[in-house]
């Protein structure tokens, strides 16, 4: 596509969005869903050209909401916005304290949630570095994490939970390799791995939702790993793969 044509199609797409971000009053008038500090942060990101248009909500969760947006050059983005008043604040603190990267995070709810957002960004970066397919994180600011959108035209790729796998074996093998890479190379345990936090995009698994992932030094790391293994084996057994917790654990833990 030539440049002009491409820009036109981006403009058209942006026009279809809930609001274009030109100034902060735009955001205020047309959103209503964001609190003032979040709006200000979104505006800062928009004024830097990182976000050009906000789309609709993709998911509302317990701790965070995920929105679709358009970034530079019309690239689709996922924007995860953590709630400051999350109900899982205590859990966040526990997961942060045992992690050497964040062990001295203290303070208000707000500080904990900001640290949590940074932690998810760092975890995604570490995962990507060792070759685990995750949404590429771009930037985080306060309680907002901006990352690559896994999906197309504002529609997220389905979670494993939402699909019936025709050929589950290669998907299982890849997930098992990703768990091993995370453990051996990134020194991370996901901690909430299941069919809910794996998307299927172009017939390949993509690991998401890494806020709670911890370094191996975390006192609960081995327990979290055992739980991840259990969830993955349960799901893939049901999908028809011959696998076991012992085998998967051995695959993850074995030295080269
Ligand atoms: N990068 C992304 N691209 C596309 N969709 C995403 C992305 N990140 C999250 N989602 C969508 O939002 C949902 C919730 O995201 P997740 O990170 O799992 O947060 P939660 O803590 O609410 O479980 C996912 O199941 C997925 O549908
Ligand atoms: Mg999730």
């Amino acid at each position: 596509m030539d440049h002009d044509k491409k820009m036109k199609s981006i403009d058209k797409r942006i026009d279809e969005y809930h609001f274009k971000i030109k100034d902060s009053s735009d955001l205020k008038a047309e959103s209503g869903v964001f609190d003032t500090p979040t709006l200000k942060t979104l505006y800062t990101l928009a004024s830097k050209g990182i976000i050009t248009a906000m789309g609709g909500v993709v998911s509302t969760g317990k701790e965070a909401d995920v929105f679709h947006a358009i970034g530079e050059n019309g690239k689709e983005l996922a924007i995860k916005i953590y709630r400051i008043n999350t109900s899982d604040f205590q859990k966040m603190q526990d997961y942060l304290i045992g992690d050497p990267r964040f062990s001295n995070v203290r303070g208000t709810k707000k500080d904990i949630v900001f640290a949590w957002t940074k932690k998810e960004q760092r975890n995604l970066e570490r995962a990507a570095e060792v070759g685990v397919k995750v949404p590429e994180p771009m930037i985080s600011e306060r309680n907002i994490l901006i990352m690559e959108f896994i999906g197309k035209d504002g529609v997220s790729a389905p979670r494993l939970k939402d699909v019936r796998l025709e050929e589950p074996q290669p998907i299982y093998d890849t997930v098992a390799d990703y768990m091993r890479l995370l453990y051996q190379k990134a020194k991370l345990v996901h901690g909430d791995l299941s069919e809910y936090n794996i998307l299927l995009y172009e017939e390949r698994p993509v690991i998401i939702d890494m806020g709670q992932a911890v370094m191996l030094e975390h006192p609960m790391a081995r327990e979290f790993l055992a739980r991840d293994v259990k969830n993955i084996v349960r799901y893939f057994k049901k999908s028809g793969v011959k696998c076991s917790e012992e085998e998967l654990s051995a695959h993850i833990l074995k030295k080269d």
Side-chain angles (χ1 to χ4, degrees):
M1 214 186 314
D2 69 47
H3 182 73
D4 276 3
K5 242 193 180 149
K6 191 164 171 215
M7 288 316 291
K8 259 211 191 101
S9 102
I10 291 168
D11 269 354
K12 186 169 161 287
R13 232 150 92 205
I14 290 174
D15 279 340
E16 290 160 3
Y17 276 76
H18 294 203
F19 52 93
K20 278 194 240 194
I21 305 178
K22 289 193 296 286
D23 58 56
S24 54
S25 59
D26 269 14
L27 272 169
K28 213 173 226 119
E30 302 195 43
S31 71
V33 290
F34 306 114
D35 60 27
T36 306
T38 301
L39 274 173
K40 280 197 179 143
T41 312
L42 285 172
Y43 175 60
T44 307
L45 293 164
S47 64
K48 290 179 184 161
I50 295 162
I51 309 171
T52 53
M54 284 295 288
V57 72
V58 169
S59 154
T60 43
K62 237 177 8 188
E63 295 156 29
D65 298 317
V66 179
F67 295 85
H68 178 249
I70 302 287
E72 272 175 313
N73 304 320
K75 192 171 144 78
E76 297 189 71
L77 305 174
I79 304 191
K80 188 167 183 178
I81 304 182
Y82 280 97
R83 297 209 191 85
I84 304 297
N85 281 308
T86 165
S87 53
D88 266 334
F89 166 72
Q90 185 58 50
K91 181 188 125 190
M92 284 187 171
Q93 212 160 17
D94 295 344
Y95 277 67
L96 283 164
I97 284 167
D99 193 305
R101 298 168 300 170
F102 296 92
S103 53
N104 51 16
V105 173
R106 302 266 184 289
T108 60
K109 261 191 183 190
K110 206 170 69 181
D111 296 324
I112 301 290
V113 173
F114 292 175
W116 188 261
T117 309
K118 268 275 167 293
K119 182 163 170 274
E120 173 149 35
Q121 180 188 13
R122 297 272 166 76
N123 288 338
L124 290 170
E125 283 167 0
R126 284 181 84 97
E129 272 165 25
V130 301
V132 174
K133 180 60 197 153
V134 294
E136 187 195 326
M138 300 178 54
I139 197 169
S140 77
E141 190 83 49
R142 294 166 65 94
N143 57 328
I144 299 178
L145 170 64
I146 301 189
M147 60 190 144
E148 173 191 4
F149 187 78
I150 306 296
K152 212 176 176 303
D153 297 330
V155 182
S156 293
R159 301 172 299 182
L160 283 188
K161 187 200 174 300
D162 305 319
V163 295
R164 235 190 65 89
L165 295 174
E166 299 288 336
E167 275 188 81
Q169 186 70 49
I171 308 293
Y172 170 77
D173 292 342
T174 305
V175 170
D177 287 345
Y178 285 169
M179 292 174 81
R180 176 175 165 74
L181 281 171
L182 275 182
Y183 189 91
Q184 298 286 347
K185 295 242 168 83
K187 310 286 180 203
L188 283 176
V189 171
H190 185 287
D192 192 18
L193 198 61
S194 74
E195 62 274 32
Y196 288 85
N197 285 328
I198 303 174
L199 306 184
L200 190 68
Y201 186 61
E202 293 173 344
E203 285 158 69
R204 305 191 58 124
V206 181
I207 311 285
I208 63 162
D209 203 358
M210 293 198 67
Q212 70 295 313
V214 294
M215 301 283 298
L216 304 187
E217 288 97 325
H218 193 284
M220 298 287 282
R222 285 309 271 274
E223 270 149 272
F224 294 155
L225 181 66
R227 194 174 60 193
D228 287 352
V229 164
K230 203 173 173 150
N231 286 333
I232 293 303
V233 166
R234 179 192 34 73
Y235 171 81
F236 281 99
K237 261 192 176 159
K238 220 174 56 191
S239 312
V241 176
K242 285 194 186 69
C243 53
S244 73
E245 290 176 30
E246 294 69 30
E247 247 179 309
L248 179 54
S249 292
H251 178 70
I252 294 166
L253 299 175
K254 83 166 181 280
K255 300 262 181 270
D256 277 323

